[in-house]
Amino acid sequence: MAEKWVLMVTAQTPTNIAVIKYWGKRDENLILPINDSISVTLDPQHLCTTTSVAVSPAFTHDRMWLNGKEISLSGGRYQNCLRELRARASDVEDEEKGIKIAKKDWEKLHVHIASYNNFPTAAGLASSAAGFACLVFSLAKLMNVKEDHSKLSAIARQGSGSACRSLYGGFVKWIMGKEENGSDSIAVQLADEKHWGDLVIIIAVVSSRQKETSSTSGMRETVETSMLIEHRAKEVVPRRIIQMEEAIKDHDFPSFSRLACSDSNQFHAVCLDTSPPIFYMNDTSHRIISCIEKWNRFEGTPQVAYTFDAGPNAVLIAHNRNAAKLLLQRLLFYFPPQSDTDLSRYSLPSHVDFYCWKSVNFNSLKSIFPLCLLFSSYVIGDKSILEDAGVHNMKDIEALAAPPEVKDNTPAQKYKGDVSYFICTRPGKGPVLLNDETKELLNAETGLPN
């Protein structure tokens, strides 16, 4: 083998949001859960991890950069994934570059990994799920691993439990399994992203700060101290899993909404039953729940389901586009931005993707994009929902009427600035390889970050 070549693969993997939650492990090292879970994969166009992985005989040790900052790969979770993938690697040949890697060579070759999230990390939006799924998927492609996605999910699970579900699009079930070695604890796809195409998802990012109690430590403390967790895992979740599978299959939104909301609330109740109690939601989270519950009761049938992972950010699933429009109007009515000038994030036009975002000179944006309004960064993702809602600027928000479920003689309280921003998205596809060289995060000649 020549000594200066670099072989690279770049992939993109979505995040996912559980509608029947995973919380608690029966094996900390292998990350084996105490119950099944079901999730919705989100559109990678709006929330995803992009990862470039490279191999070269010139690399002296494994290295990784996350969002531009080098991090250690010495942790057990990274090492477990790398060990499992190297054990399954096959011969690789790139005739164009004249590169041949034998199966046995993978044990001594080192890799470079660069990963970038286009959404907040460690803020309760399953960034670790997308991250480890993308790491495993891209390394499997680089190393010519022959396993299917189900088998790969068992490897991704050892990095972050929820990562196994991000190896599929649409609706995904993580089977807890019974084997001690975890071989049957895998993810399976229940339905693809086109199965229930009417659903629209709006995420209210209440805080993008890293949570005080990580999911790992939170689960451990819950399993050790909560009296409710065993009842949830053995009695409640198995019934909900069956019911949720039926609701997804039948497009039964009332049942889907009831199950998702109830399971989210019970998950956070279990967190409160932990000693010391774990508080992932905050007052704004509770106000969003109240808003949705009042609206659903007023309509007589659920319009929107809510679910919260381990953080204060609300994931709101509307049963169709019209409900999403009405939802966004309510959210902007109750949680308007401070003002145009108080918003510090700029939103690039749709043809400028996030790979360029890291190198943008924010002070020059006004001159580069004179029509780029600060307001547009308050609602990101699929902004056509914003157009449906008839909202184009702050004046439109200020002109929004109180929702009809608000009593006539009760003034509706507004909570200006309590939500950082909203992401409009939908169910999305699973991991994909990216063949566009402009989206590579590592230099093709040096294997170092671009």
Side-chain angles (χ1 to χ4, degrees):
M1 290 187 295
E3 290 299 313
K4 291 188 177 181
W5 56 260
V6 173
L7 189 63
M8 182 161 53
V9 164
T10 298
Q12 187 180 77
T13 300
T15 188
N16 71 80
I17 296 295
V19 290
I20 302 294
K21 305 295 187 186
Y22 142 61
W23 194 253
K25 305 182 186 75
R26 61 184 173 91
D27 187 302
E28 289 275 345
N29 184 48
L30 293 175
I31 310 186
L32 301 178
I34 61 174
N35 60 263
D36 293 349
S37 57
I38 294 176
S39 63
V40 181
T41 300
L42 304 183
D43 191 338
Q45 184 178 344
H46 307 132
L47 294 105
C48 71
T49 295
T50 301
T51 300
S52 291
V53 293
V55 62
S56 172
F59 297 165
T60 58
H61 58 287
D62 295 335
R63 299 177 70 183
M64 180 171 180
W65 294 263
L66 175 60
N67 294 334
K69 181 180 180 182
E70 186 162 11
I71 62 171
S72 172
L73 284 172
S74 61
R77 296 186 174 199
Y78 286 111
Q79 289 302 309
N80 287 346
C81 291
L82 289 168
R83 182 186 66 252
E84 295 287 341
L85 288 164
R86 282 186 167 117
R88 292 165 173 76
S90 301
D91 296 346
V92 172
E93 182 174 3
D94 187 322
E95 294 183 358
E96 187 178 330
K97 293 184 177 180
I99 298 171
K100 286 186 178 181
I101 305 174
K103 175 180 172 63
K104 61 182 176 60
D105 294 330
W106 286 108
E107 291 297 332
K108 57 191 176 187
L109 285 168
H110 297 286
V111 295
H112 284 184
I113 305 161
S115 193
Y116 180 77
N117 297 328
N118 71 341
F119 61 99
T121 301
L125 290 175
S127 58
S128 64
F132 273 102
C134 205
L135 180 142
V136 168
F137 178 78
S138 56
L139 282 173
K141 294 299 183 183
L142 179 71
M143 296 179 177
N144 195 22
V145 174
K146 305 291 189 181
E147 309 280 13
D148 61 21
H149 280 203
S150 184
K151 295 287 181 62
L152 288 179
S153 76
I155 300 174
R157 186 204 71 229
Q158 296 179 54
S160 172
S162 301
C164 68
R165 298 190 307 245
S166 276
L167 282 165
Y168 292 99
F171 300 85
V172 186
K173 178 182 179 181
W174 176 12
I175 301 169
M176 63 177 286
K178 296 179 180 178
E179 299 295 332
E180 288 187 9
N181 66 1
S183 59
D184 58 346
S185 184
I186 58 173
V188 295
Q189 187 181 58
L190 299 176
D192 67 21
E193 66 277 10
K194 297 176 184 176
H195 168 74
W196 205 345
D198 290 342
L199 299 182
V200 178
I201 301 167
I202 298 179
I203 301 171
V205 180
V206 174
S207 172
S208 57
R209 290 180 298 179
Q210 188 165 336
K211 54 200 175 195
E212 292 182 13
T213 305
S214 71
S215 298
T216 300
S217 61
M219 286 187 205
R220 186 183 305 118
E221 291 166 6
T222 295
V223 169
E224 291 174 354
T225 66
S226 171
M227 295 185 68
L228 295 179
I229 189 65
E230 185 175 356
H231 173 69
R232 168 177 164 75
K234 290 186 176 181
E235 302 294 333
V236 179
V237 172
R239 289 197 301 270
R240 284 182 177 162
I241 288 286
I242 295 170
Q243 294 167 349
M244 182 59 86
E245 288 190 54
E246 286 296 311
I248 292 169
K249 184 185 72 167
D250 297 337
H251 304 96
D252 179 357
F253 190 79
S255 295
F256 177 91
S257 177
R258 175 180 57 81
L259 290 163
C261 296
S262 296
D263 202 71
S264 177
N265 290 335
Q266 188 185 66
F267 156 56
H268 287 278
V270 165
C271 291
L272 289 174
D273 189 51
T274 302
S275 182
I278 304 170
F279 303 95
Y280 284 125
M281 293 195 291
N282 60 21
D283 288 346
T284 304
S285 310
H286 298 147
R287 289 176 185 127
I288 293 172
I289 290 175
S290 178
C291 168
I292 301 304
E293 289 284 0
K294 286 177 182 175
W295 182 24
N296 283 343
R297 284 199 303 273
F298 178 81
E299 295 290 348
T301 187
Q303 304 299 300
V304 173
Y306 59 80
T307 186
F308 293 76
D309 274 357
N313 303 317
V315 179
L316 308 171
I317 305 173
H319 75 96
N320 60 26
R321 194 171 177 91
N322 185 61
K325 174 193 76 174
L326 298 173
L327 169 62
L328 188 56
Q329 288 174 341
R330 282 165 169 80
L331 291 171
L332 292 173
F333 174 81
Y334 286 114
F335 305 100
Q338 288 283 9
S339 69
D340 283 359
T341 54
D342 285 337
L343 293 173
S344 59
R345 296 178 312 281
Y346 285 78
S347 178
L348 295 175
S350 59
H351 65 277
V352 182
D353 65 34
F354 72 88
Y355 302 98
C356 307
W357 187 248
K358 303 188 294 298
S359 59
V360 167
N361 179 345
F362 286 84
N363 291 327
S364 67
L365 274 176
K366 286 182 181 178
S367 59
I368 299 173
F369 302 114
L371 298 179
C372 187
L373 300 177
L374 282 169
F375 167 73
S376 64
S377 68
Y378 195 58
V379 179
I380 63 175
D382 180 6
K383 294 189 183 181
S384 65
I385 306 295
L386 197 61
E387 295 173 10
D388 290 353
V391 176
H392 304 93
N393 51 46
M394 280 297 297
K395 288 183 179 179
D396 292 334
I397 291 181
E398 291 166 357
L400 288 171
E405 60 269 21
V406 176
K407 294 180 180 177
D408 293 338
N409 50 1
T410 304
Q413 187 170 354
K414 297 187 179 185
Y415 303 93
K416 187 176 285 190
D418 281 8
V419 172
S420 297
Y421 57 100
F422 298 101
I423 305 170
C424 297
T425 186
R426 63 184 75 86
K429 62 185 179 182
V432 293
L433 286 175
L434 299 178
N435 297 315
D436 185 348
E437 292 182 359
T438 65
K439 296 182 178 180
E440 293 174 350
L441 303 179
L442 294 170
N443 184 284
E445 295 182 1
T446 65
L448 294 172
N450 285 324

